[in-house]
Amino acid sequence: KEITAVAEKDAELRRSAFKPNSPACKAIVDQVLKIIEKEDTKLPIPCIKAIGNLARTFGATDTRIIGPLVRLLDEGRPEVSREAAISLTKFVSTENYLRFDHSKAIISAGGAKHLVQLVYFGEQTVKISALVLLSYIALYVPDSEELARAGVLGVLEWASKQPNVTQDENIEALLQESKGWLELYQSRGSIQEDSKKNINRNS
């Protein structure tokens, strides 16, 4: 975990020591994923953090990384769900140039419904981590039908009224921006749907 933490901040180290296509890197990632997916292990959190630290080394096609982390959102242990959300956030934060692809991958893996549940019903520390991740995903993929079906806009509206959220200016700003994009795309979708209905009535 320590070397991955250094690599997260050192682009040169990431490029030299953690080339995604190198056999050594693949072997390490495979081993870490096995540990993450193994039940009753005592090592998931360090491994989850390690994957998150290397988020910027993975390509858009490395979807095998996203799925296990998304499943951990629904793992049951708050500390594990929180670390999974934090690591996934590193895949979709503004520092990651593949954030759009990773956001779509998280949605495809069923992440939206898990995050909605965590924001509503998770412990406080989990709520915030899940909300930040959900906000980033909504920001980058606001036209997602899955987000609309999961009621993400309603979640963000609810969260924006919670005092513990509005106290953090950065989270509040991210939340409002994401909410704005969702409102724009979902209202546009409603207008298009109404237009189709009118056309069908008149035809």
Side-chain angles (χ1 to χ4, degrees):
K1 185 186 76 172
E2 287 77 8
I3 190 171
T4 62
V6 175
E8 181 182 19
K9 297 176 175 61
D10 189 328
E12 188 59 38
L13 178 60
R14 283 201 308 275
R15 283 192 291 268
S16 60
F18 294 99
K19 292 180 180 178
N21 295 325
S22 70
C25 185
K26 284 184 176 180
I28 292 171
V29 171
D30 286 343
Q31 189 62 36
V32 168
L33 287 176
K34 283 180 182 177
I35 294 172
I36 287 176
E37 293 181 312
K38 188 177 180 181
E39 294 183 3
D40 299 324
T41 178
K42 296 180 180 179
L43 295 174
I45 290 179
C47 291
I48 294 167
K49 288 182 176 179
I51 291 293
N53 291 339
L54 297 175
R56 282 184 282 175
T57 68
F58 297 116
T61 57
D62 285 326
T63 52
R64 68 195 180 111
I65 308 297
I66 299 293
L69 289 177
V70 168
R71 286 193 289 275
L72 288 177
L73 294 172
D74 193 38
E75 197 267 353
R77 287 176 288 175
E79 65 275 14
V80 173
S81 297
R82 178 176 179 271
E83 289 301 334
I86 291 172
S87 285
L88 284 168
T89 298
K90 294 180 180 182
F91 281 84
V92 299
S93 66
T94 51
E95 291 81 16
N96 197 313
Y97 73 99
L98 290 173
R99 54 191 177 273
F100 298 97
D101 299 283
H102 292 319
S103 294
K104 291 176 182 177
I106 292 171
I107 293 171
S108 297
K113 61 182 180 181
H114 295 320
L115 291 170
V116 166
Q117 291 295 310
L118 289 175
V119 173
Y120 276 139
F121 307 114
E123 292 189 7
Q124 191 56 45
T125 55
V126 183
K127 280 179 185 285
I128 298 299
S129 299
L131 177 62
V132 170
L133 174 55
L134 192 60
S135 296
Y136 273 121
I137 294 171
L139 180 63
Y140 299 130
V141 199
D143 57 343
S144 165
E145 292 183 7
E146 286 85 353
L147 294 187
R149 283 197 294 268
V152 171
L153 179 56
V155 175
L156 299 187
E157 288 174 341
W158 174 82
S160 66
K161 299 172 185 175
Q162 307 307 306
N164 58 304
V165 173
T166 54
Q167 287 173 0
D168 188 310
E169 292 182 1
N170 292 329
I171 295 177
E172 171 69 6
L174 172 63
L175 181 58
Q176 293 302 329
E177 187 177 5
S178 301
K179 193 155 67 76
W181 279 106
L182 276 181
E183 288 170 345
L184 175 65
Y185 274 90
Q186 291 189 15
S187 64
R188 183 182 296 176
S190 298
I191 292 170
Q192 290 175 346
E193 191 63 34
D194 289 341
S195 298
K196 288 179 183 177
K197 288 179 181 177
N198 290 332
I199 291 171
N200 290 335
R201 286 197 199 100
N202 296 328
S203 59

